[in-house]
Amino acid sequence: MLTIVQTCTLIGIDGVVIRVEVNLSNGLPGFSIVGLADPSIKEAKERVRVCIQNSGFSFPVKKIVVNLAPASIKKSGTHFDFSIAVGILIASEQIEKTTPRSEAFLAECSLNGDIRGVIGCLPMVLALKSAGVKRIFLSEENWIECLMVKEIELIPVKDLTDFVACYHNKKETEPRSALDKVDQIHYSVLGDFSDIQGQSEAVRAMQIAAAGRHNALMIGGPGVGKTMIAKRMPTIMPLLTEEEQIATMKIHSVAGMPLETIIQGLPPVRMPHHTITKAALVGGGNRVLPGEISLAHHGILFLDELPEFDRHTLELLREPIEEHRIRIARSAHSIEFPSDFILIAAMNPCPCGNYGSKYHPCTCSRRERKRYLDHISGPLRDRLDLFIEMEEPLYTYEPSQKTVTSQELRASVLLARQHQTERYQHEMFHSNAELAGGELSKYCQLSRDSKRLLQQANRKLRISLRSIVRIQRIARTIADLDQEDQIKEAHLLEAIHYKQNSSRYWGDGE
Amino acid sequence: MRMNRREKGAMYEQKSASYLESLGYQVCAMNYRTRVGEIDLIVKDKETFVFVEVKSLLANLDFHPSERVDYRKQQRIRKVAVQYMLEINEYEKSPMRFDVMAWQLLAGKENFQHYINAF
Amino acid sequence: MKLFIAWLNAKHCPYADLRFLIQHKDILETILADPKHGGYTDVLTKKTNQAIRNYMPDSFKERLEKQLVENETRILLWKDPDYPEGFYEVDDPPPILYLRGKGAFPPQRAMAIVGSRHVTRYGARATERFSSELSVEKITIVSGFAEGIDSIAHRSALQVGETIAVLGGGIDWIYPKSNEGLYYDIAARGTLVTEFPFGEKPFGHHFPFRNRLISGLSEAILFMEGTHKSGALSTIRHGLNQGKEIYALPGDIDRKNSEGPNQLIFDGAEPLLGLEQILAKSGRERTAGETIQSNSLSSLEKLIYNLIAKEPCSVQHLHNLSNQSIHDIVSVLTSLELKSLIHRQGNQFYRTGR
C-alpha cells in the first residue's frame, strides 16, 4: 500500500518540496528510510513508531519503506517525522486519505504523541506555498512565526490525536486574529537614544548611517557608550517592510533564532563577540547555516572591539558589504545567503583605550598603536563611510537637556529614506551608501563652490580622492536628512568631518 | 517428575500451541528447522503468519522480549521465517509477525505471557 | 601723464628717467607739448629720448585703455598718494605700478612669506599655519605668486584675509599657468601688483628684481624653505638692505629644503618659532581670545572660533556651550579647519598656533 505525502527540506535558506513515499508491504516486518537521509532523519523511525503507538494508533507490522523524493537531495532535520507518521497512518488505513497533493506536514514528533516545532519552518512554508500547497499542518510554535504568510491555510496541531481531528475537519482551527497582539511594537525593550548622554556627534552620525545605510566606525575608550548606541539603532530605523521581514525571518528561522522582534518589524541587531569563527560570522558548517552577517540582514551588524577580531575573519566581510550577499562554496554545490546589513563597528583608540583622552594618559607605544590600528585593513576601512571619535562623557549633576529621542531621529530618517526611494526608483539600488561611479555624479551634483571646497579638502586636509567619493555619498544623505535636493556646502563640510576622523588615525591615501 | 531441558522445552512449546489454538490460531508447523536455525512454533492468525519463539523456565516475566531474544537470535529467526515463507510460496504475499511466548514456573504454578509482535 | 609714463615703461626706459620726469612735471609737460623735439639728451638717456621721439599718443592710448579695462587694472605712479612708502626705500623704485584686485593697496601692515617652488609637507604645513595666523592678525601676506610656498601662502591667506602677489611679468600674463584659479581668487579678494608693462613676459631675470618689491611692501620676511641657492634668498638680501626683520623656519639639517633657512639662522636671522614671537618683535600682542572680525567668516563660524579661542573644545563641549545643532557645529568645524584657523588633536579642537 503506497501513500505519498508532502513535506519540505532546506537548502541554505530555501525550501525544496519533498515527497514522502510510504509503502507498506507484507514481508519481513521492518522500517527503513531511504533517500539521502542523514542521521537526524534515520532517528525518526523510533520517534514515529513510539509516537504512533502512544497516540492510540497501531504501528503496522509490515515491511515499511519510506522514500524521500527527490532522492538525490541530501536531507536533514527532524521535521520529516510528522509526514512519515501521517504517511504510515494513511497507508495502514488508520486515517483517511484526503488530498495529498495540496497538503504538507512540517513538524517533529515526540514520544508522547505531541507535535513539536522545528527550525526553518518559515522558508519551508514559503516554498510549499509556491509549489501550490493549500494546507499545511504544523506545530503551534511554528504557526506563529509563519502567520506572515498569506493565502495559505496553516493548521496548528498539538498532538497526533488533535491532528487527526483537524485532518478530518472535526475541529475548528482558531482564527488568525488570535495572535494580533504581536502587531504591537515594543520599542521600549530596545531602549531609546535619549538614554545616551553627551555623545551628540555619535548620535548624529548614527542618524546619518541609518538614513543612508552607511557603515560606521565608532572610536572611543571603554565606557563611552558605543554598545549602548549600537543596541538602539533599530529604534531609529524604518520598520521592515513585509518583504524585508520575510527575508530576514527566513534566515532567523533556519538558524533557529527567536523571531519576536522581527515579527514586530524591528530590524535585527547582531553583536557577535570578537572571538567568533569564520563559519559563525559568514555562515557555513557541516550543514550550511547562515552566519551573523546574514542574521543581520536588513538590520545592524555590530562588531565591538573591531581590531580584536581575527584579521582574516574581518576580510571576509568585504564581499558581503559590496555584494549584499555571501556565497558559501562546497565541493558539490554553493549556497547563497543574503546579507545586506549596516555595519556598525566600534574600537578603542589604542590597546589601552586612553589615547586622546583628556583625563587618562595613554600607556601605549606608537608601535603598539600602529599594530592595533593595522588590524583593520585599508580595503575594509574603505568600506566604512563614517568615522566617529567619541569622547569620554563627564558626569554632570543634571542630565543634559540636549538629548534627542529615538522618535525624533527616526522621523527624519524616514523622510530621508523616502527621498532616496523616490530618487532611486528606477535604479537597481535604493540607498545612498550604494552610490558609485556614474550614479554618484548623476545624483550628487555639486555646485562650483562645493567643488572648490572638495578641492581644498583634498589639498589642505589631505583627503584622498577615494574618500571624496565617500564624502559625497554622506553629504547626499545629510542633504536628504535636511530635505534638500541639492547638496550644499554645509553638507559637504559635515561629511568631511566624519571622514576626516579616519585620516587622523590611519592617514589617508598618501 | 524430572525432565531434562529439552523435554521441558518441548512441553512448553506444546502448551503454547494449545493456547494459541484456543485463540483461534491455526498451527502450521512446530520446530521448523533449516540449516540456519529453528523456529519453535509457526501459526497462522487469519492472513498473518506468526512465528513464535517460546521461552521457558524464566524467573521473571516482566521483561521486554528483545532482552531475552537477542539481536542475533532475532536475525536468525527472521531468516528462517523467510525460508519458510519461500518454501510454502507465501513470501511477500501474506503479512508476517514475530511473537514471543514466555513461561514461568512459580511456586508450582505455571504463568505465561504472550508478546505479540515482539520484534 | 600716466599714459606717457606707461609708454616709456613699455619701451623699457630706465626707471631713473621716468622718476625724473614724474618729479619734474614742467619738463614732462614741455616734452608732451612737442615730443619730436628731443632736446633732453643731457638729462635723459638715449633710449628714453628715442622712445619720446617715437611716442604715438593716440594709438597707444587706445591700446592701453583697452588693456586696462580688459584686465581690470589701474595704474599707480611714483609719488602718488597710494604709492607704498616702502617702495621709496628699495633699490631703483618703480616709477609705475600696475594693480589689479579689490584688496587694499598699499596694505596697512604686510609681511612676506617666501620660499622655494618645491615644498615638503613640513614646509607646506608651516606656511599654511603662519599665513593664516598672520592673516587673522590682519597682516597682509605678500608673496611672489610662484608655485610652491608662494601659492600656499597666498591661498591660506585668502581663506582669512588679504594677500598681495607681486608678479614677475605683465599683469596680463598668468604665470605659472597652474595658478590661474589663484590669480582670479586674488583678483577678487587681494591685490596683484607688477612694475612690468602689459605684455611683458615673465623673464627669469625679472624675478630677483621684483623681489625687492616683495620685501619693500613688508615689515618682515618669513623664509620657509629653500636650498642655499634658492631664488627666495634674493628677497632676503633685499630685505636686509632695507632693514626688515628676517625670520627663517628651522628645519631638519638633512633636509635639502631647509638648508637655506637654517643657514640664514646661523647667519643671524630669527628662527621662526611661532606667532607670538613675530608679534612681540613687531611690538604687538596677539589678539588672543579676542574676537575675530574677518568678513570671510559667517556669524556661526565666528561664534565657534571664539569659543575654541578661549579654550580647546571637543564637539560635545561646543554643542553644550553653543546651543547649536550638532550638524551645524560639525560643518563649521570643518570649514574653520579648512581655513587653518583651528586644528584638531584627539577629540579636542585647538585654535591654530596655540
Side-chain angles (χ1 to χ4, degrees), chain C residues 7 42 112 175 297 300 326 331 335:
Chain C
W7 166 263
D42 44 346
Y175 177 85
L297 295 187
L300 189 57
I326 197 85
S331 38
S335 163

Side-chain angles (χ1 to χ4, degrees), chain C residues 14-192:
Chain C
Y15 286 178
D17 288 357
L18 272 65
R19 286 197 302 271
F20 176 80
L21 288 172
I22 296 168
Q23 186 91 33
H24 301 90
K25 287 220 175 77
D26 46 336
I27 299 174
L28 182 85
E29 270 154 29
T30 328
I31 293 171
L32 278 176
D34 183 11
K36 306 287 178 241
H37 180 272
Y40 290 90
T41 37
D42 44 346
V43 276
L44 299 174
T45 59
K46 206 168 142 193
K47 190 164 187 175
T48 313
N49 278 315
Q50 196 179 350
I52 293 172
R53 271 195 299 280
N54 293 340
Y55 185 44
M56 291 174 294
D58 299 331
S59 64
F60 181 69
K61 185 180 180 199
E62 196 183 321
R63 194 169 85 225
L64 183 69
E65 272 169 2
K66 191 164 157 250
Q67 283 166 329
L68 288 175
V69 171
E70 269 177 8
N71 293 296
E72 298 168 359
T73 304
R74 60 188 193 276
I75 284 173
L76 206 56
L77 290 187
W78 193 63
K79 297 281 181 193
D80 276 357
D82 277 350
Y83 192 83
E85 290 289 322
F87 283 4
Y88 294 116
E89 318 274 316
V90 306
D91 294 343
D92 203 6
I96 180 165
L97 294 172
Y98 302 84
L99 298 170
R100 173 168 189 172
K102 302 192 172 61
F105 195 88
Q108 282 276 315
R109 299 188 65 197
M111 288 188 187
I113 295 183
V114 296
S116 60
R117 277 166 304 179
H118 303 288
V119 290
T120 64
R121 180 148 280 182
Y122 169 64
R125 197 168 60 230
T127 306
E128 274 169 21
R129 173 177 157 185
F130 283 103
S131 183
S132 36
E133 284 182 355
L134 289 169
S135 298
V136 171
E137 303 294 334
K138 288 198 244 125
I139 292 170
T140 306
I141 302 300
V142 184
S143 195
F145 199 69
E147 287 173 337
I149 298 288
D150 289 10
S151 306
I152 296 169
H154 286 308
R155 280 206 185 88
S156 315
L158 275 182
Q159 305 280 344
V160 197
E162 285 189 14
T163 187
I164 295 173
V166 184
L167 305 181
I171 210 123
D172 49 349
W173 272 92
I174 301 177
Y175 177 85
K177 208 69 190 153
S178 57
N179 272 352
E180 190 167 352
L182 179 62
Y183 180 94
Y184 291 107
D185 285 348
I186 297 179
R189 279 175 292 159
T191 312
L192 296 144

Side-chain angles (χ1 to χ4, degrees), chain A residues 359-464:
Chain A
Y359 315 104
H360 307 289
C362 170
T363 57
C364 310
S365 70
R366 249 184 93 118
R367 225 181 127 123
E368 282 171 329
R369 265 184 14 91
K370 186 172 182 322
R371 259 171 52 130
Y372 183 74
L373 295 173
D374 280 350
H375 269 270
I376 301 156
S377 72
L380 182 64
R381 278 202 314 273
D382 246 16
R383 286 163 175 81
L384 298 166
D385 287 350
L386 296 156
F387 291 79
I388 312 106
E389 199 171 319
M390 293 167 72
E391 173 195 24
E392 205 172 334
L394 280 183
Y395 177 76
T396 45
Y397 294 112
E398 284 167 38
S400 161
Q401 300 297 306
K402 292 196 190 75
T403 54
V404 275
T405 63
S406 291
Q407 203 182 348
E408 288 163 358
L409 293 166
R410 189 170 59 241
S412 42
V413 168
L414 286 176
L415 286 169
R417 283 277 184 100
Q418 209 174 317
H419 257 251
Q420 293 170 55
T421 317
E422 279 163 29
R423 188 166 51 230
Y424 304 138
Q425 56 185 333
H426 302 302
E427 299 285 351
M428 296 289 289
F429 55 94
H430 54 275
S431 63
N432 292 334
E434 292 160 84
L435 280 175
E439 279 96 26
L440 189 79
S441 38
K442 184 170 160 196
Y443 292 111
C444 297
Q445 283 185 359
L446 298 178
S447 69
R448 225 191 122 71
D449 282 346
S450 300
K451 281 180 188 157
R452 197 207 310 270
L453 188 78
L454 284 180
Q455 195 187 340
Q456 270 178 27
N458 175 224
R459 302 225 173 111
K460 289 200 81 164
L461 304 177
R462 288 185 261 291
I463 293 199
S464 71

Side-chain angles (χ1 to χ4, degrees), chain A residues 25-30 59 61-63, chain B residues 78 82 92-98 117:
Chain A
S25 62
N26 297 322
L28 207 50
F59 193 78
V61 188
K62 298 269 177 144
K63 180 173 178 180
Chain B
R78 282 169 166 265
V82 170
E92 299 216 320
K93 288 181 187 149
S94 299
M96 295 157 77
R97 199 175 87 198
F98 297 90
N117 192 23

Side-chain angles (χ1 to χ4, degrees), chain A residues 281-293:
Chain A
L281 185 68
V282 298
N286 187 18
R287 189 183 139 221
V288 183
L289 284 177
E292 292 289 339
I293 58 164

